[in-house]
Amino acid sequence: MLFPQWIIDHIAQSLYWADRTVRADLIAGLISGENDYTSNLTATIRRQINARAVPKLSATSYVLKPIVERSVGADACIVLASEREFKICLFEAKWPRLSTHNNYWDSVQKNRRVSHFDDQLHKQQRVSSIFAVWEMFYCEFPYGKQPSFMPSHVSACVWQHDAIRASQERPGNDNPWTDQELEDLLRNASSQVDHLIREVCLCHHGQRFNGNDFLSVFEEYEVPSEVLVIKYAGEDAQQA
């Protein structure tokens, strides 16, 4: 484990309530789009963790300078760090708007004539064996009134390896994903962000990096400019 179990519980609970809180804002019409949701989500995770006032557990947000083209096919980065090692998570966000639109959330790239989502999934493959990578689908339905293939109170999440498998099984990537294809994916592989972060902390996904030099890893592999670092500096993290 990257952290003691009780710290993992705090982190997972913080992500759950952050996602649930921002979904409430989305339901109320206070979120303007995917980027706004993602920015609010990472900020709310930071506040949730810091408000718990757990000794040696903290969260800090960073915006990286666009030194290199960040073409990894993801919207945000979460770093989970102890004093001696860290892991990196990436996620791509989509807001399908299933309550108001049909087949709205994907498109065909004009210059390459391929599905934008398929292209993002293939870009993620460059780092999917190193980082923990997932897709996150935001939901504007009121609590309890969402489609049966989406969680009751939070967003639907899918590991990148499940999404890329579904992408490879499509008849061709020159057409955008449909709502039915999204439904099939989520029925087969849907989870939620607190469950995924537990898996990462338990070291079932993502590679461990020694030390705390996040920047060198960011520059080598390219990550989204929006980064949230969650750090536990307690001594018991070393025996976890």
Side-chain angles (χ1 to χ4, degrees):
M1 295 189 294
L2 187 63
F3 307 121
Q5 185 61 59
W6 66 281
I7 291 295
I8 296 174
D9 291 342
H10 274 294
I11 293 172
Q13 291 163 11
S14 295
L15 267 70
Y16 171 85
W17 281 106
D19 191 18
R20 183 163 176 168
T21 297
V22 184
R23 178 173 165 183
D25 286 345
L26 183 64
I27 293 168
L30 302 177
I31 300 294
S32 62
E34 292 168 0
N35 291 341
D36 191 26
Y37 193 114
T38 303
S39 179
N40 275 274
L41 177 63
T42 55
T44 306
I45 294 170
R46 184 190 69 238
R47 291 193 293 268
Q48 282 277 340
I49 287 176
N50 291 335
R52 287 173 180 261
V54 176
K56 304 297 181 68
L57 178 64
S58 63
T60 308
S61 296
Y62 298 93
V63 177
L64 303 181
K65 295 180 180 179
I67 299 173
V68 295
E69 181 184 359
R70 303 188 183 280
S71 56
V72 73
D75 287 317
C77 172
I78 299 175
V79 178
L80 300 166
S82 68
E83 286 285 78
R84 295 187 175 183
E85 56 190 358
F86 63 94
K87 304 185 80 170
I88 294 178
C89 310
L90 303 180
F91 67 90
E92 168 62 25
K94 299 294 181 187
W95 180 17
R97 292 174 169 85
L98 297 178
S99 68
T100 57
H101 294 71
N102 293 319
N103 302 322
Y104 173 84
W105 61 278
D106 190 21
S107 61
V108 172
Q109 295 180 341
K110 294 181 179 179
N111 59 333
R112 297 182 57 206
R113 301 303 301 171
V114 298
S115 156
H116 182 57
F117 186 49
D118 280 338
D119 186 56
Q120 290 174 311
L121 291 174
H122 283 85
K123 287 178 178 178
Q124 293 168 10
Q125 280 196 291
R126 304 171 191 169
V127 296
S128 61
S129 63
I130 302 166
F131 303 155
V133 186
W134 66 82
E135 322 307 319
M136 197 163 181
F137 298 91
Y138 301 144
C139 179
E140 78 282 358
F141 284 87
Y143 296 136
K145 295 185 178 181
Q146 69 286 328
S148 59
F149 52 87
M150 300 193 82
S152 297
H153 298 100
V154 291
S155 304
C157 295
V158 177
W159 286 115
Q160 192 273 345
H161 61 79
D162 289 320
I164 194 67
R165 184 182 304 116
S167 169
Q168 292 167 344
E169 291 173 354
R170 298 181 71 220
N173 64 2
D174 55 346
N175 290 310
W177 279 62
T178 65
D179 294 344
Q180 183 61 56
E181 287 177 310
L182 174 61
E183 176 179 344
D184 293 342
L185 172 64
L186 296 183
R187 285 195 185 281
N188 292 328
S190 179
S191 185
Q192 53 193 57
V193 69
D194 55 309
H195 296 166
L196 270 56
I197 210 71
R198 285 184 186 274
E199 291 291 300
V200 179
C201 291
L202 291 170
C203 295
H204 297 162
H205 292 270
Q207 174 182 310
R208 292 192 192 207
F209 292 90
N210 293 325
N212 53 20
D213 187 5
F214 315 136
L215 185 58
S216 64
V217 177
F218 296 162
E219 292 176 345
E220 180 177 357
Y221 292 103
E222 303 179 9
V223 301
S225 60
E226 187 165 330
V227 177
L228 175 68
V229 177
I230 300 171
K231 184 173 184 179
Y232 178 61
E235 292 183 1
D236 51 345
Q238 299 172 10
Q239 286 81 45

